[in-house]
Amino acid sequence: MRGRAVLLGLVLLAILGFVFLRGPSPHIQIKAEVLASLGPVNITNTMVTSWIVVALLIVLVFLLTRRWELVPRGPQNFVEAVVEAFFNLASQMVGERLARRFLPVTATIFFFILFANWFSLAPVFNAIGLVKEVVPSEEGAAHEGKAFVMEKVDLGPLPIAFTLPSSPDRLQGEAIELNEPEAETKVEEKRAEGKLVGEFLPFLRSMNTDVNMPLALAVAASIAVEYWGISALGLGAYGRTFFNFGKLGRGLRSLRPMAIMEGAVDAFVGLLELVSHLVRLVSFTFRLFGNMFAGEVVILMFTFLVPLLLTLPFYGLELFVGIVQAFIFAALTLVFGLGAVEHAAAGEHH
Amino acid sequence: MAFLAGFVDGLKALGINLPTLLAQLVNFTVLLVVLYLLAYKPVMRMLDERRRRIQEGLEASEEAKRRLAQAEEEARAQMERTRLEAQAIVAQAQELARRLQEEARAQARQEAEQILARAREEIVLERDAAIAQLRREFADLTVQAAERVIRQALDREAHRRLIEEALSQSPLGDGGGQ
């Protein structure tokens, strides 16, 4: 009886949200929105998020670890437990000696991605931002994206506008696709009604939904992996794992077919290794980007479709995806690092 | 060339651009350095230090346990030694007592025998003295009696000799002659 009442209440809540809280259908854009330009550098919302995440992490760790004591107390415990847990995990994967060496880079990758992913589930993301009015003088120019019809509130120096949610007579917030043929006239109409018609550029957008951030992380991870490999064996020997033509040359000089074959295979394997390292960069980037971007789109779409209740499971899912992706990125870096170092170790025996 | 241009266009469509990429790399590096200094280094140092201390503590406790066992062993050995000593002392004392008792008994017996012997000797002496005196008195009596009977004055000394001769042939005279 009670369970049924709760179920009924939940369904009612979902319907109420559907009727009264649906905003305009969201604008999905792969590129990060540019909030401002500073010379050649575009300040995008993902970069702002990245700064905030970096700053928050630094401040948090700084506050939690004001002074180190051998007998840990309170917050220090937490930091130690988290770092130690990661260290133990890494130790299981690559052994303690290498884990010690790989810890700073991989742990930073892990905690940076994890914190950014979870932080981006905060409600301010994709909800508050700049509004760029669609300028009438740009008529005819090929517009992209979507303009939202917004109510204006005049607060003096602080102009504020917001989209109206749905109401029983209009089942979703208003938006105009700018690439529609009659977009211009619609914009003019709405503007005549005293509404603000403009593009919306959120201040905060999940850091990893911009390809640049996963790519930067992939580049950093790759640099670290190659560095570990080189420092384990030296530049020349490590380079020979990719450009392994020595045996082929010797085979050609000796003119023995078997030796030439073996040399050719070794050279080919080396080149494959090089390609695999490059492919790694791409797979690193798009695995993280794809997962996080998809997650964001799913949450945006479900917030639009059924604003109340049904969005929650996807937040749970995104919490999970957030930690899994962070872990995969860090774990793969560890594994590749192990590969580079072991490659080097195996090379020493030849 | 066309392929490359298409590639670059694709990257642009995705929003990849070098300044942003570099900026994000810098962000990551800053975070890496700061976290290294603030968290990883001290945490690892703490871990190592703590591990070292625990190791030391374990070793110390092991050592203490070993020492305790050793001390207990020593105490037990000491106790055993003491017990054995005590037993030896008691046995010795018992032996001594037994010997003393034996000696005392032997001495007592000896003394008793001595006393007995002396008593016997004295009895014999007394008897002899009594017999001698009796004999002397009897001789005198006999002389007086003989004088009265024969009224013959005999030389006292000759008489005595006669009597002695007579006595020595009698059973009484045997004891007196000795």
Side-chain angles (χ1 to χ4, degrees):
Chain A
M1 191 61 210
R2 196 164 171 174
R4 202 176 295 171
V6 168
L7 198 68
L8 193 71
L10 290 180
V11 170
L12 208 66
L13 207 58
I15 291 173
L16 277 179
F18 181 81
V19 173
F20 290 105
L21 282 175
R22 260 153 58 100
S25 79
H27 172 225
I28 308 295
Q29 182 183 327
I30 290 179
K31 278 187 191 177
E33 289 83 354
V34 177
L35 296 177
S37 287
L38 205 75
V41 181
N42 288 332
I43 310 289
T44 59
N45 46 10
T46 52
M47 203 185 290
V48 171
T49 309
S50 152
W51 287 337
I52 291 175
V53 168
V54 168
L56 276 180
L57 262 176
I58 289 174
V59 169
L60 193 71
V61 170
F62 181 74
L63 289 180
L64 288 180
T65 60
R66 290 290 283 280
R67 56 175 196 278
W68 288 92
E69 287 170 24
L70 198 61
V71 177
R73 236 193 340 220
Q76 189 196 328
N77 251 331
F78 176 74
V79 174
E80 277 195 25
V82 166
V83 174
E84 201 184 336
F86 187 87
F87 176 66
N88 287 338
L89 205 74
S91 295
Q92 279 171 19
M93 292 173 66
V94 300
E96 198 181 317
R97 194 181 59 83
L98 286 179
R100 211 167 265 271
R101 185 154 168 65
F102 297 169
L103 179 80
V105 172
T106 51
T108 306
I109 287 175
F110 178 74
F111 293 119
F112 191 26
I113 296 178
L114 178 69
F115 199 79
N117 288 354
W118 282 359
F119 181 56
S120 70
L121 297 177
V124 288
F125 276 77
N126 296 312
I128 299 172
L130 284 180
V131 170
K132 204 166 79 185
E133 205 162 354
V134 176
V135 190
S137 66
E138 281 182 42
E139 271 175 68
H143 274 294
E144 272 184 27
K146 184 177 272 184
F148 298 106
V149 180
M150 296 185 222
E151 305 292 319
K152 277 192 275 194
V153 182
D154 204 2
L155 282 182
L158 270 179
I160 287 181
F162 58 90
T163 57
L164 276 181
S166 57
S167 53
D169 57 309
R170 182 169 47 77
L171 276 179
Q172 72 179 62
E174 287 177 281
I176 298 167
E177 292 285 348
L178 288 180
N179 51 5
E180 279 176 34
E182 64 269 35
E184 286 304 326
T185 50
K186 277 189 181 173
V187 169
E188 289 302 325
E189 270 175 30
K190 291 296 173 189
R191 202 158 271 152
E193 287 174 26
K195 306 272 170 80
L196 188 148
V197 181
E199 285 174 302
F200 171 64
L201 312 175
F203 286 133
L204 296 176
R205 176 174 159 183
S206 179
M207 189 178 89
N208 292 318
T209 60
D210 175 2
V211 199
N212 287 299
M213 190 70 228
L215 184 60
L217 288 170
V219 168
S222 296
I223 289 174
V225 167
E226 308 306 335
Y227 169 72
W228 291 329
I230 289 169
S231 63
L233 187 59
L235 187 57
Y238 187 70
R240 271 196 292 283
T241 59
F242 304 117
F243 304 104
N244 193 1
F245 298 113
K247 214 168 172 184
L248 182 63
R250 281 196 297 280
L252 284 174
R253 274 199 296 280
S254 72
L255 285 176
R256 283 189 299 125
M258 275 309 289
I260 294 171
M261 272 289 286
E262 271 178 31
V265 167
D266 275 10
F268 183 64
V269 167
L271 288 179
L272 270 188
E273 187 75 18
L274 183 68
V275 171
S276 87
H277 277 232
L278 290 176
V279 168
R280 228 179 242 179
L281 212 62
V282 178
S283 72
F284 257 148
T285 307
F286 283 97
R287 185 182 308 109
L288 181 58
F289 165 71
N291 273 284
M292 297 331 292
F293 186 73
E296 193 188 58
V297 170
V298 164
I299 282 189
L300 276 177
M301 286 315 289
F302 263 84
T303 313
F304 162 65
L305 290 172
V306 189
L308 292 182
L309 283 181
L310 279 194
T311 323
L312 288 179
F314 292 96
Y315 272 93
L317 183 73
E318 280 313 299
L319 279 177
F320 179 67
V321 170
I323 192 168
V324 164
Q325 287 305 316
F327 176 72
I328 287 178
F329 208 111
L332 281 178
T333 309
L334 279 170
V335 170
F336 293 151
L338 179 68
V341 173
E342 273 191 344
H343 220 107
E348 280 167 1
H349 295 302
H350 288 308
Chain B
M1 215 50 216
F3 168 75
L4 201 66
F7 185 66
V8 169
D9 276 353
L11 290 186
K12 272 189 180 154
L14 279 173
I16 293 177
N17 60 68
L18 199 60
T20 312
L21 184 67
L22 288 179
Q24 300 287 39
L25 255 176
V26 168
N27 287 350
F28 175 77
T29 312
V30 167
L31 188 66
L32 171 65
V33 170
V34 172
L35 285 187
Y36 177 70
L37 292 177
L38 280 185
Y40 308 138
K41 212 164 98 172
V43 166
M44 294 314 286
R45 206 182 58 227
M46 284 290 135
L47 281 182
D48 289 345
E49 176 71 11
R50 212 168 290 142
R51 180 180 298 176
R52 198 178 61 75
R53 295 240 174 150
I54 288 172
Q55 187 77 29
E56 276 176 5
L58 283 178
E59 273 165 14
S61 93
E62 204 62 29
E63 173 72 15
K65 218 181 278 171
R66 208 177 52 73
R67 278 200 189 150
L68 183 66
Q70 202 177 348
E72 271 176 5
E73 187 58 37
E74 262 171 25
R76 202 175 303 126
Q78 182 73 44
M79 208 88 119
E80 184 65 23
R81 225 164 27 238
T82 314
R83 203 172 60 80
L84 286 177
E85 267 171 26
Q87 266 178 354
I89 288 169
V90 168
Q92 220 172 342
Q94 276 173 346
E95 175 67 20
L96 189 67
R98 206 176 49 76
R99 218 171 53 222
L100 283 177
Q101 209 177 1
E102 202 93 320
E103 273 172 14
R105 200 175 291 147
Q107 203 175 355
R109 196 181 299 133
Q110 204 181 347
E111 273 174 12
E113 273 169 11
Q114 271 173 6
I115 289 167
L116 206 60
R118 207 178 300 139
R120 225 174 255 147
E121 213 171 299
E122 270 173 19
I123 288 170
V124 170
L125 284 178
E126 297 254 329
R127 193 198 62 182
D128 285 357
I131 286 171
Q133 187 162 0
L134 204 59
R135 188 185 284 168
R136 243 183 342 263
E137 279 179 12
F138 191 67
D140 282 346
L141 268 176
T142 310
V143 169
Q144 281 172 8
E147 269 177 354
R148 268 175 210 168
V149 169
I150 59 174
R151 298 263 181 195
Q152 192 184 348
L154 278 177
D155 177 40
R156 198 175 176 95
E157 276 305 309
H159 265 117
R160 183 166 295 262
R161 221 160 31 237
L162 277 174
I163 291 164
E164 286 284 338
E165 278 171 25
L167 272 178
S168 65
Q169 281 155 16
S170 81
L172 259 173
D174 277 346
Q178 287 172 3

